[in-house]
Every structure is written in structure tokens, then in C-alpha cells.
Amino acid sequence: MDFKNKKIAVLAPVAWRTPPREYGAWETVASNITEGLVDRGWDVTLFATNDSITKAKLCSVIEKGYEEDHTQIPKVSECLHISYCLERADEFDLIHNNFDYLPLTFTRFINTPILTTIHGFSSPDILRVYHSYKDTYYVSISDSDRDDQLPYLATVYNGIDLSNLTFREKAGDKLVFLGRIHPDKGTELAIEVAKKCGKDLIIAGIIQDQQYFDDLIKPHINASSIQYIGPVNPVQRNALLKQAYAIIHLNTIPERFGLVMAESMAAGVPVIAMDLGSCREVIEDNVTGYLVNNVDQAAKAVGKINKIERHKCRKRVEENFTIDCMVSAYEKVYEEIFRRESEK
Amino acid sequence: MDFKNKKIAVLAPVAWRTPPREYGAWETVASNITEGLVDRGWDVTLFATNDSITKAKLCSVIEKGYEEDHTQIPKVSECLHISYCLERADEFDLIHNNFDYLPLTFTRFINTPILTTIHGFSSPDILRVYHSYKDTYYVSISDSDRDDQLPYLATVYNGIDLSNLTFREKAGDKLVFLGRIHPDKGTELAIEVAKKCGKDLIIAGIIQDQQYFDDLIKPHINASSIQYIGPVNPVQRNALLKQAYAIIHLNTIPERFGLVMAESMAAGVPVIAMDLGSCREVIEDNVTGYLVNNVDQAAKAVGKINKIERHKCRKRVEENFTIDCMVSAYEKVYEEIFRRESEK
């Protein structure tokens, strides 16, 4: 049975461009799904900001991401974007929602099946929406980031674009923190680890919690041992990973997936991560990095990084977290949805 | 032609109970519309929080207002509430939206006509939604609170419930500020007026801007000349208005309607208001109060309050701003909508 004659709509968020210039995890994944499907011959329409870049057909009513244009009220852009897509539902065989929960409240009005990749529960309260629309289709992004009461079709790990992630056999000499500067990501714990080990640390990422940055990060920043370089785009990230001895990823809440861990391993960089949430699904403990429970364990793990064979980091990504892996998995999910719909 | 066999859904906000215990202007008006329609024999279903009080049929998926239960994410409650109502659209001949802009994005999916009373533009950006859904029906709450590009069916002034607003011929001796404590409402200007006149001021209302309260209001509060009594329910408001010599309402942005002005006049209390927005539609200048442009003019106006005949304040409300006036006006609007729909 050939499903490639089906028309797919991919609904991306509109916080940032798809793909984002720098930060924007959901837009990154929505882009990778879209481009991966196009490469395999699917007929794809991407609903995203109008400055998005895609090989699919692009449909937009939002000129640019509301995080890049603060004249926009996010809720206004969100609802106009969603209704614009769903008002055209009849043109598609499947709508792949990468937006969040708001589109679900439109689903009873449309006949086209809607698949929602749940990129994360920003609050337990958003489960009220997911529980109210269980008659639609759900995918989780890791086995750990699941709600007990939701009927998932599958877990599909995020797939990353390897084109700007050069594998390097030779380790750099810096510890690197890469991600949002936010207590959830444990930026201050990475600083503690670096100080304990006497190694330099480079911090890169957007400041999502300014108070946290000002109070707990900024006082440690200097021009040498603890540097902050701001957010990085994919080219800058590649250069940064070249300098990396290891990634310090001491998340303080369960990780949902952890794109940064996959990206780092793709460059051959081992990851020292807190054993919370999906980290043990992304990292193979003792093979591509170390799972730890606190700063002391993380500092000890730095001491045995040379036991990690860097090509095994790359291999783990190639076998599990590429766009190709992800799109293959989604093709199976789509097939299952079309099968279920045809039986209705 | 008898329209009373038509089924009407009234969609209220879910920030507060309908009617609200204390503050909640939109919920107040949604309640007054609902109860007024029921009193005239309409078949009305009210979509509001589950603790709401109505003679109509009550439909709810939200237990209580999100402003009264901070475990709720407002957007989650809003979208579930709206979709619950609109998924049942076929059961109604008309949906009267008192919610705001979000329900508009569902309108292309339903066949039932939707009338939106625009209770206010919280930001110019929400006009993007109103402009995108001009094929629905709009009502403004004053002639001044209109956007040039929207096709309004009518202006329908808010109608108030007179049952807890006792007319009193005899003036009290206090100046009163009644409303949200917020820079938009000019609470600090009311204090200036009271000090200039050497009269006592009672301030009542919710604190909507805590910084503003702490910086500009709290330092002036004492147990005698400048009192703050918190929010008031309708019974407390009635007692407060008994003490009122005049209401000082020096809004700093255009007023959209100004329920407080109508409520005060209903009790026979003249209003000194900034000449911005709808104030000159609600107050009859020199007859039911004074329109002013600054604190000095307001202080002078206090000096000539005894020229206002208090029964004329009451009369203006009885003739223009009762529930009966409002519901009569909405009946005309509904009739026009049914006429247009029957011609489609």
C-alpha cells in the first residue's frame, strides 16, 4: 500500500521561525519532520511563520515569530495560525500537530485525523485538554515523558539534522553547557562541576530566566574560566562542540527528550547528564556518557571521560536520532492512523 | 414574527463566576443579558463557570473562575470552555459571545450565527482577530469604543441591575473612588482631588496593579481622610454609595463604557469623570455630573456638585442603562441577525 499520495499538513509553533535561527526546539523538530517527509516524496504543507524556510509548501498568516516581534500578543498569533490551518483541514489527509494543546479544541469540527506530537507538558494543567480529546492521536517524544491516561500510538524520538554537526575524534579541552539558561536546565550546577574539576566552562544559550542568570550565573562569568557566549546558531554550535571535552547537562526536572544531548553526541562529545526523565533513553550510560545524580558524581564523571569512545557517541545518534530514523517512525504512525481511519 | 421560540446560547468569560461575587465587569454584563432574556421568555443557555447562578440553563466544564483558582492555566480553561460551547452550536439559533476574541477563530466551523459584544480592546493587536472574522456579527458597548474597520450592527449600552442600587435623595459627605486600582482608572488622581478639596475619600475595588498600589496609593491611606476598603460586593457597594457625595472617576485612557458611572448615578450619586472615551455618553454633562480634563477641573467640579439634581442621575440610568433597555436593544439586534440569516 502506497501512502505517499497522501497530503500531510505539518502545524509548527509560531514562537520562532521554522527552523529557528537559534533557539526553538519545537520549531526545529517540526522543520526536521517536514523536510524529512519531503525528502521521502511526501506531499507536505508546512503551517509556520511566513519567514520560515522549507522545501514543502509554506502557508502562513503570521509574518514572523512572536518571540522575534514583541508587538504581537502570542495568543492572538496562535489562534489565528491554528484556525487558518484547521479551516483548510479538508485539503489534507492528515494534520500533524507540533503546536501544543490549543489545536485539539478544534478537532471535533474537522474530519481530517490529527496527530499530536506532545513535545512537553508545560504544566500538569494542560493535561485537561489532552484528556478531553483522547479521541485524537498522540505520540510521545520519549518513553519517560508520558501521561498514564493518554492512549499513545508510539514514542518517536526527535531526529536531528547532522549536516552542521561534524564528528570529531579529537576532544576539545572545555566543558560546555548548551541550552536555555534556566533553573530547569541546571546551568549553575554546570558551573559547580567546572570549578570542582578545575576545568574551563563555556555556557551557550538564551537567557530564559533573567533573575536566575543575574543571581546565580552572572557573578561567576569571566573572560576565561567561565565564559557566557549567548545563544548559538547551528554553525556556531558546531564550532563550540569542537572545543568540547564533555557536555554538562544537569537538568533539575525530568528531561522530555533533550535535543542538546543528541546534538552533542553527534559531534562525538560525551554527555554527563542528570538521571532524570529521558536522559537514560538518549545517553547509553558508560558508553556515550554518564548518568549522574548530583554535582559530585558529575565531577567524578569528568575524570573518566577519556574512557568514552567518541565514535560510539556518533554511532548512537546515527542509529537512533537522525531525521531518517524519526521520519521512518512517523511513517509507521501515519500508516497506522490511515488504517484506523479506513476502518471507521 | 415571534422570535421567542429561538434558542440562545450566552457565552460568558470564565475568569470569575457569572455573576461575579465582586469584581468582574464582563461576567456582570453576561449575567444581566442572560437574566434579562430569561425574564422576557427567551430560551437561554448560559455557558459559564459551574458555580454560576442563573435562571437560564447552565452549561459548564470549568468548575470555578481561574481568577478564583490559581491552579488553572487561564488559556486551558478558556479553550476548553469555548470548544465545549461551540461543539454544541447546532443546538442553538444564536450564540451571543461575551468572551472576547478567541471564540471567533472557531466560527468558520459552525453554522449557527455568532454575535460578539466587544467589551473592550485589551490591546490593538487583538484587532487582527476581529478583522479576520468580519463575516460574523459585532456590537459595540459605546459609540466611542469602536474600530473604524469593523461592521457593527449596533451600539448596545451595558444595562445594570438596579435591585441593589437604592436611590438616595440625600447626599453623603465622602468622595468615592470605585473601580480597579490601576493607573488606567486614575486612582491616584482621585486622591489628589480629595486633598485639594479637603474632603474625605473612600477607595474601593480590587488591586489590579500591586506596584501602582504600593507606590502611589498605599502611602496616602490612613484610617480617616483617605481610606481603602478593598473590593465590594453589590450589598457593600450600596452601603458605600449611601456615603457618597460624588464619584471621582478620572480614567487616564478612554473609558469603554464605565459600569461604575451608571451604578453610581443609579444611586443618585453624581459622577466627576475624565472626558475620555464613553464618559460623555454615560454622563450628561452638568446634569448628572461633570466631564473634566484634569485634577484642577475635577476639584472645582466637586465645589458645584450641589447644583446636580440627584433624581436626574437616577432618571438617566432608568431611561438608558437598565437591563430592560439593554435586552430590548439586543432583541432588535437578534431580530436583524435572524433576518439576515434567513436571507442567506
Side-chain angles (χ1 to χ4, degrees):
Chain A
M1 191 169 176
D2 181 20
F3 292 110
K4 299 267 172 93
N5 58 348
K6 302 283 193 183
K7 288 179 163 39
I8 311 290
V10 174
L11 181 61
V14 288
W16 307 96
R17 190 187 77 177
T18 297
R21 289 172 176 80
E22 290 157 348
Y23 174 74
W26 298 21
E27 287 84 352
T28 298
V29 178
S31 174
N32 289 348
I33 292 170
T34 302
E35 306 313 306
L37 288 168
V38 170
D39 286 345
R40 286 167 176 246
W42 290 83
D43 181 339
V44 187
T45 302
L46 173 65
F47 289 83
T49 60
N50 201 30
D51 57 356
S52 293
I53 297 167
T54 181
K55 296 191 293 284
K57 283 165 266 181
L58 177 64
C59 282
S60 316
V61 284
I62 307 302
E63 285 305 309
K64 50 164 94 168
Y66 57 76
E67 292 287 5
E68 299 177 76
D69 167 19
H70 291 290
T71 65
Q72 296 175 51
I73 293 180
K75 194 165 74 171
V76 168
S77 295
E78 287 177 353
C79 73
L80 287 172
H81 172 64
I82 291 167
S83 64
Y84 175 63
C85 174
L86 296 188
E87 284 165 5
R88 294 180 51 182
D90 287 349
E91 299 174 28
F92 304 104
D93 297 290
L94 177 70
I95 295 169
H96 187 163
N97 169 31
N98 288 276
F99 187 94
D100 207 355
Y101 61 86
L102 193 53
L104 293 169
T105 60
F106 291 75
T107 53
R108 303 244 160 89
F109 301 104
I110 64 175
N111 297 313
T112 307
I114 184 156
L115 167 66
T116 300
T117 296
I118 303 178
H119 289 283
F121 300 107
S122 53
S123 152
D125 194 47
I126 75 172
L127 281 166
R128 278 195 286 156
V129 185
Y130 289 109
H131 289 167
S132 299
Y133 291 92
K134 282 182 192 172
D135 50 344
T136 67
Y137 299 105
Y138 296 132
V139 153
S140 55
I141 59 168
S142 66
D143 290 337
S144 79
D145 197 40
R146 282 194 165 203
D147 173 68
D148 285 349
Q149 293 174 54
L150 292 184
Y152 296 93
L153 279 179
T155 286
V156 178
Y157 291 125
N158 290 335
I160 61 174
D161 178 3
L162 296 181
S163 62
N164 274 305
L165 290 161
T166 313
F167 172 68
R168 291 187 171 93
E169 182 62 51
K170 188 169 170 290
D173 60 354
K174 310 280 191 191
L175 300 181
V176 170
F177 171 94
L178 183 54
R180 297 179 284 127
I181 316 299
H182 189 281
D184 289 352
K185 296 294 186 185
T187 320
E188 92 280 18
L189 303 180
I191 294 172
E192 280 187 54
V193 171
K195 291 190 171 179
K196 267 186 195 290
C197 300
K199 287 195 84 76
D200 292 348
L201 175 71
I202 303 177
I203 298 169
I206 61 163
I207 296 170
Q208 212 176 44
D209 183 330
Q210 187 68 47
Q211 192 69 47
Y212 172 71
F213 179 80
D214 291 345
D215 292 350
L216 293 177
I217 308 305
K218 205 173 171 184
H220 301 283
I221 306 273
N222 53 49
S224 54
S225 62
I226 312 282
Q227 288 181 60
Y228 173 60
I229 62 169
V232 289
N233 65 27
V235 172
Q236 294 164 327
R237 183 188 57 202
N238 204 26
L240 173 65
L241 289 171
K242 186 180 178 183
Q243 301 182 69
Y245 184 67
I247 292 285
I248 309 297
H249 186 91
L250 301 184
N251 47 302
T252 58
I253 63 165
E255 193 60 61
R256 297 159 184 164
F257 173 76
L259 278 174
V260 165
M261 297 188 286
E263 289 161 354
S264 304
M265 293 192 304
V269 182
V271 179
I272 296 167
M274 201 71 93
D275 188 11
L276 276 174
S278 61
C279 294
R280 59 172 49 240
E281 294 175 62
V282 178
I283 294 167
E284 191 179 350
D285 196 18
N286 295 307
V287 176
T288 72
Y290 297 104
L291 294 166
V292 300
N293 295 302
N294 54 50
V295 166
D296 282 342
Q297 289 179 9
K300 277 181 197 150
V302 173
K304 51 181 181 172
I305 279 293
N306 55 7
K307 292 187 181 166
I308 302 290
E309 297 175 59
R310 291 171 69 97
H311 70 91
K312 287 192 178 165
C313 296
R314 176 75 177 195
K315 187 157 165 267
R316 180 157 180 83
V317 174
E318 285 173 347
E319 289 177 354
N320 297 282
F321 309 121
T322 62
I323 293 177
D324 225 45
C325 297
M326 174 174 67
V327 173
S328 292
Y330 276 121
E331 284 182 333
K332 289 197 186 74
V333 171
Y334 294 178
E335 190 169 346
E336 174 65 14
I337 293 171
F338 294 138
R339 193 188 62 72
R340 292 193 190 186
E341 291 290 312
S342 70
E343 287 174 359
K344 274 185 182 170
Chain B
M1 191 170 176
D2 180 20
F3 292 111
K4 299 269 173 93
N5 60 348
K6 302 284 193 183
K7 288 180 162 39
I8 310 290
V10 175
L11 181 61
V14 288
W16 309 96
R17 190 187 77 177
T18 297
R21 289 172 176 81
E22 289 158 349
Y23 174 74
W26 298 20
E27 286 84 352
T28 299
V29 177
S31 175
N32 289 347
I33 292 169
T34 302
E35 306 313 307
L37 288 168
V38 170
D39 287 345
R40 286 168 176 245
W42 289 83
D43 181 339
V44 187
T45 302
L46 173 66
F47 289 83
T49 61
N50 201 30
D51 57 355
S52 293
I53 296 168
T54 181
K55 296 192 293 283
K57 283 165 266 183
L58 178 65
C59 282
S60 316
V61 284
I62 307 304
E63 285 305 308
K64 50 165 94 170
Y66 56 76
E67 292 286 5
E68 300 177 74
D69 167 20
H70 292 290
T71 65
Q72 296 175 50
I73 294 180
K75 194 165 75 170
V76 168
S77 295
E78 287 178 351
C79 73
L80 287 173
H81 172 65
I82 291 167
S83 63
Y84 176 63
C85 173
L86 297 189
E87 285 166 4
R88 295 181 51 182
D90 287 348
E91 300 174 27
F92 304 104
D93 297 291
L94 177 70
I95 296 169
H96 188 163
N97 169 32
N98 288 276
F99 186 95
D100 207 354
Y101 61 85
L102 192 54
L104 292 169
T105 59
F106 289 75
T107 52
R108 304 245 159 88
F109 301 103
I110 64 175
N111 297 313
T112 307
I114 185 156
L115 166 66
T116 300
T117 296
I118 303 177
H119 289 283
F121 300 107
S122 53
S123 151
D125 194 47
I126 75 172
L127 281 167
R128 278 195 287 155
V129 185
Y130 289 109
H131 290 167
S132 298
Y133 291 92
K134 282 183 192 171
D135 50 344
T136 67
Y137 299 105
Y138 295 132
V139 152
S140 54
I141 59 167
S142 66
D143 290 337
S144 79
D145 197 40
R146 283 196 163 202
D147 173 69
D148 285 348
Q149 292 174 54
L150 292 184
Y152 296 94
L153 279 179
T155 286
V156 177
Y157 291 126
N158 289 336
I160 61 174
D161 178 3
L162 295 181
S163 63
N164 274 305
L165 290 161
T166 313
F167 171 68
R168 292 187 170 93
E169 182 62 51
K170 187 168 170 290
D173 60 353
K174 311 280 191 191
L175 299 181
V176 170
F177 171 93
L178 183 55
R180 298 179 284 128
I181 316 297
H182 190 280
D184 289 352
K185 296 294 185 184
T187 320
E188 92 280 18
L189 303 180
I191 294 172
E192 280 187 55
V193 171
K195 291 189 171 180
K196 266 187 197 289
C197 300
K199 286 193 86 75
D200 292 348
L201 175 71
I202 303 177
I203 298 169
I206 62 165
I207 297 169
Q208 210 174 45
D209 183 330
Q210 187 69 48
Q211 192 70 49
Y212 172 71
F213 179 80
D214 291 345
D215 292 350
L216 293 177
I217 308 303
K218 205 174 169 184
H220 300 284
I221 306 274
N222 54 48
S224 53
S225 63
I226 312 282
Q227 289 180 59
Y228 173 60
I229 61 168
V232 289
N233 65 27
V235 171
Q236 294 164 327
R237 183 187 60 201
N238 205 25
L240 174 64
L241 289 171
K242 186 179 178 183
Q243 300 182 67
Y245 184 67
I247 292 285
I248 309 297
H249 186 92
L250 301 184
N251 48 301
T252 58
I253 62 165
E255 193 60 61
R256 296 159 185 166
F257 173 77
L259 278 174
V260 165
M261 296 189 287
E263 289 161 353
S264 305
M265 292 192 305
V269 181
V271 179
I272 296 167
M274 202 71 93
D275 188 11
L276 276 174
S278 61
C279 294
R280 59 172 48 240
E281 294 175 62
V282 178
I283 294 168
E284 191 180 350
D285 196 18
N286 294 308
V287 176
T288 72
Y290 297 104
L291 294 166
V292 300
N293 294 302
N294 54 49
V295 166
D296 282 342
Q297 290 179 8
K300 277 183 198 149
V302 173
K304 51 181 181 172
I305 279 294
N306 55 7
K307 293 187 182 166
I308 301 290
E309 297 175 60
R310 291 170 71 98
H311 71 92
K312 286 192 179 166
C313 296
R314 175 76 177 195
K315 186 156 168 267
R316 181 157 180 82
V317 174
E318 286 173 348
E319 289 177 355
N320 296 281
F321 308 123
T322 63
I323 293 177
D324 224 46
C325 296
M326 174 174 67
V327 174
S328 291
Y330 275 121
E331 284 183 333
K332 288 197 186 74
V333 171
Y334 294 178
E335 189 169 350
E336 174 64 14
I337 292 171
F338 294 137
R339 192 187 63 71
R340 291 194 191 185
E341 290 292 311
S342 70
E343 286 173 359
K344 273 185 183 171

